[in-house]
Amino acid sequence: MTGDGFGGRSWYVSYNYNVGSYSAYTVCGPNDQLYGWGNNVQGELGNGLNVSTTAPVPATGMTDVRFYASGYITSCIRKDSTAWAWGYLTNAAGIAFAHVDPKLMLSGVKFVDAGISHLVFIKYDSTVWALGRNNSGELGNGTTTLSIVPVKMTGVQNAVRAICLGYTYGTTIILQADGLVKITGGYQWFTQVDSKMPVLIPGLTDIVDIKGNASAAFALNKNGEVFAFGTETQYGSLGLGLSQQTYAPPTKITFPAGSAPIIALSATNDGTTTLALDEDGKLYGWGGNFYAQLGDGTLISKSRPILVATNVIDMGAAETFSYIIKADKTIWATGQ
């Protein structure tokens, strides 16, 4: 539900909503103003305050917005291709910087992803830039030094998407135009290779989209197959039915009998729940369900995909709740 038309295959078109860990966003009105609601303790709503709200409030100065992403940090790209950010960026020693109003970060940007403690940008020249915490090498510049300004990643010249994952083991995963996938950071949690610069992930080819959450990453290929990798939690985050603390290299997820090829995925950096939409409009989910994020009528987490809804055209998985858009254009919510 990121609003830029990317992130799937077949008939899928994403809608103009985005969910962070505890907040949600949309762009509306004649000036394409970004609005947000929900948690604002980290300043993630960008309205100059740290006060949470149940009603939408405008992010200061954020008109002409064409793309946006949210974690504990929020970032958007305006129509002039400038990237702005607000919220908290932290390291082990505390807050590196905090902005309750949007701050200009970079120009010439076509994509951004926001995580718990770092941001990643892709410019129109297909290079990748990142800022924020860097404890595991998630900024991809060969160091573990935090940066409050964007730094260029090493060895990536053909990126089409990049995502921020993890907290203790911060990670950036990059999808290239050739369908291959690279990773930087995330050692011991998302990868068994300790690299602070992007390296190829074996076993992933013809990938068209990447998503991930606090402990698991997912890659969707051109045939509608989904591969999971990372470390299993008590919530079944990988969707592979593994025991807790088991590491898995890229492994194909098995969906229930009768499922069609998958066309889109949704997950959020700080969550443990993942949603997958198939070509027939059936929605599957797995992982954390302790707040009824899956909407299956229980509070029991699922370690393998289950069918949770039909006649779905888009979805958004957050940390404690989920959004679903049905074919009749109604919006449904479940969770906390």
Side-chain angles (χ1 to χ4, degrees), residues 235 271-273 287-294 298-301 319-320:
Y235 306 115
T272 57
T273 306
N289 196 30
F290 40 89
Y291 286 122
Q293 300 99 305
L294 294 178
T298 78
L299 297 175
I300 301 171
S301 298
E319 181 177 356
T320 63

Side-chain angles (χ1 to χ4, degrees), residues 7 43 69 101 116 131-132 145-146 161 165 172 177 250 283 295 298 313 320 322:
D101 284 311
I116 296 174
L131 63 84
T145 303
L146 176 147
R161 280 296 181 267
L165 302 179
T172 302
L283 184 68
T298 78
I313 57 175
T320 63
S322 298

Side-chain angles (χ1 to χ4, degrees), residues 27 34 59 62-69 74-78 81-86 102 106 109 112 121:
V27 171
L34 179 66
M62 290 298 97
T63 57
D64 297 321
V65 172
R66 66 171 176 82
F67 187 77
Y68 52 95
T74 306
S75 182
C76 77
I77 304 171
R78 302 181 73 185
S81 300
T82 56
W84 301 70
W86 56 95
L106 203 61
V109 179
V112 62
F121 309 90

Side-chain angles (χ1 to χ4, degrees), residues 54-133:
T54 59
V57 294
T60 304
M62 290 298 97
T63 57
D64 297 321
V65 172
R66 66 171 176 82
F67 187 77
Y68 52 95
S70 179
Y72 286 153
I73 316 159
T74 306
S75 182
C76 77
I77 304 171
R78 302 181 73 185
K79 292 178 182 177
D80 62 0
S81 300
T82 56
W84 301 70
W86 56 95
Y88 283 176
L89 292 175
T90 64
N91 63 7
I95 297 171
F97 70 84
H99 296 293
V100 292
D101 284 311
K103 180 179 175 64
L104 178 64
M105 293 294 174
L106 203 61
S107 59
V109 179
K110 67 177 180 179
F111 179 78
V112 62
D113 192 53
I116 296 174
S117 55
H118 73 296
L119 289 172
V120 60
F121 309 90
I122 298 179
K123 300 188 75 169
Y124 277 100
D125 63 4
S126 298
T127 58
V128 182
W129 299 68
L131 63 84
R133 199 179 70 158

